[in-house]
Amino acid sequence: MNYSGWNTVITGGSSGIGLALARLLTQEGANVCILARDPGKLNRALEELENQRQNQTQKLAASSVDAADADRVEGLIRDLVESNGAPDLVVNCAGDVEVGYAYQLTPADYQRNMNNNYLSSVNVTRAVLPSMSAKESGHIVYISSVLGRVGAIGYSAYGPSKAALDLFAAAIRMEVKPCGIQIAIVYPSDTDTPQYAYESAHLPAEIKYLKTIFASHLNTPEEVARAILQGVARKRKIIIPDTDGKIMDFLVRILGRGAANVLEFLLNIGYRRKIGSKGETACQSVDGD
């Protein structure tokens, strides 16, 4: 697919997968608008994109916004449509992760994950649908996680927010199919982003142990971004950029809820190893022992 001249909007576009997508689309000659919360990161990202500009008619822009703010998002998208026209591609990369045992996480942590991983995508989708529907074309992409399909220790805030995103995408796909709008959901495995660095520093010991056994390829943001654009070109409903993700997707599809039992068995190995090494367990910590 030739993305030259496409109007594209990327949330979370100042770093990680979002910025990698913005780079590729800019190099393809697309009009790119990146959205994120941090003005400093946005300005640096926009400067980088300007250096990759393919022609003088190409429109590159950046706006600081919290995508969880529905009114702010609606106004921003309305202005963008008035100036550039309806988006051809919207990729929801904005997200957050809070990791830890449930007793360690605060109500604010749960709310933050729901706002940034779910409601932000809801707000952006609702804002772009009228113009896309009027044009009867377009693509909307959501970045999810296998942890929204199978629960895991330490992800009681993050996983449910991604599960909500999955169901939202499924519902929207049914609604917009008559309008010619394509919906895709992406399941990347571990990817070398600022979010992954934060997550890695706060993982429960059970998960850390499993990662030492089942060490896997760490995706680069560029690898995931290329897979997304290839998936959009092929009108894929589900985009899985890497082998690890495809294996997990296979297990979920074949075993259904039984996939959770497999993961629980593996996590129990890490749990027993942690107790054997006299490490802290969730139960011991709650009891204060």
Side-chain angles (χ1 to χ4, degrees):
M1 185 178 291
N2 182 359
Y3 290 95
S4 179
W6 277 42
N7 293 330
T8 65
V9 179
I10 304 169
T11 69
S14 64
S15 65
I17 296 171
L19 180 55
L21 272 168
R23 291 189 189 110
L24 290 178
L25 287 166
T26 299
Q27 293 163 10
E28 289 273 344
N31 302 319
V32 178
C33 178
I34 54 175
L35 311 180
R37 287 171 292 185
D38 189 321
K41 289 183 178 179
L42 270 173
N43 290 335
R44 289 190 292 274
L46 182 58
E47 182 178 352
E48 180 182 344
L49 298 182
E50 289 284 0
N51 292 332
Q52 299 174 352
R53 176 188 291 275
Q54 299 299 298
N55 57 70
Q56 292 304 312
T57 62
Q58 198 172 4
K59 297 179 181 179
L60 303 175
S63 293
S64 175
V65 63
D66 182 350
D69 184 338
D71 292 338
R72 177 84 172 86
V73 167
E74 185 175 350
L76 190 153
I77 295 297
R78 182 172 57 247
D79 293 343
L80 190 64
V81 170
E82 289 177 358
S83 60
N84 290 1
D88 298 295
L89 171 64
V90 176
V91 186
N92 294 278
C93 292
D96 209 342
V97 60
E98 295 296 340
V99 186
Y101 299 122
Y103 81 93
Q104 295 173 321
L105 299 174
T106 68
D109 292 330
Y110 284 89
Q111 188 64 61
R112 188 180 305 109
N113 271 197
M114 192 59 72
N115 286 343
N116 296 332
N117 298 332
Y118 173 60
L119 291 176
S120 62
S121 294
V122 171
N123 294 336
V124 171
T125 301
R126 293 184 66 256
V128 301
L129 278 181
S131 60
M132 280 186 160
S133 297
K135 190 173 64 169
E136 296 188 348
S137 68
H139 300 258
I140 303 176
V141 179
Y142 304 95
I143 308 297
S144 187
S145 169
V146 69
L147 293 168
R149 307 171 77 183
V150 180
I153 292 172
Y155 292 96
S156 62
Y158 179 78
S161 68
K162 290 298 189 179
L165 181 63
D166 278 16
L167 291 177
F168 175 75
I172 290 298
R173 180 181 290 115
M174 296 177 193
E175 291 184 18
V176 302
K177 185 176 181 180
C179 305
I181 300 172
Q182 303 292 321
I183 302 295
I185 192 155
V186 186
Y187 295 100
S189 295
D190 288 345
T191 305
D192 189 10
T193 65
Q195 179 173 297
Y196 175 76
Y198 174 85
E199 176 186 350
S200 298
H202 296 81
L203 286 176
E206 293 92 336
I207 300 291
K208 287 182 180 179
Y209 176 72
L210 285 186
K211 284 181 177 289
T212 64
I213 300 176
F214 302 100
S216 60
H217 170 70
L218 181 63
N219 294 316
T220 66
E222 290 72 25
E223 288 172 332
V224 177
R226 281 193 291 270
I228 291 172
L229 294 185
Q230 290 169 359
V232 169
R234 295 166 182 166
K235 297 185 178 180
R236 303 288 193 199
K237 295 180 180 179
I238 295 177
I239 301 171
I240 304 176
D242 50 79
T243 301
D244 290 347
K246 290 174 182 176
I247 292 173
M248 184 57 73
D249 178 69
F250 175 78
L251 290 175
V252 170
R253 289 175 181 273
I254 296 299
L255 300 178
R257 293 184 181 275
N261 295 333
V262 174
L263 183 58
E264 184 176 358
F265 171 78
L266 295 174
L267 287 171
N268 281 337
I269 296 175
Y271 183 74
R272 290 193 297 271
R273 285 295 295 262
K274 188 173 71 166
I275 292 176
S277 63
K278 299 184 179 179
E280 181 188 77
T281 70
C283 299
Q284 289 170 335
S285 300
V286 172
D287 292 339
D289 295 337

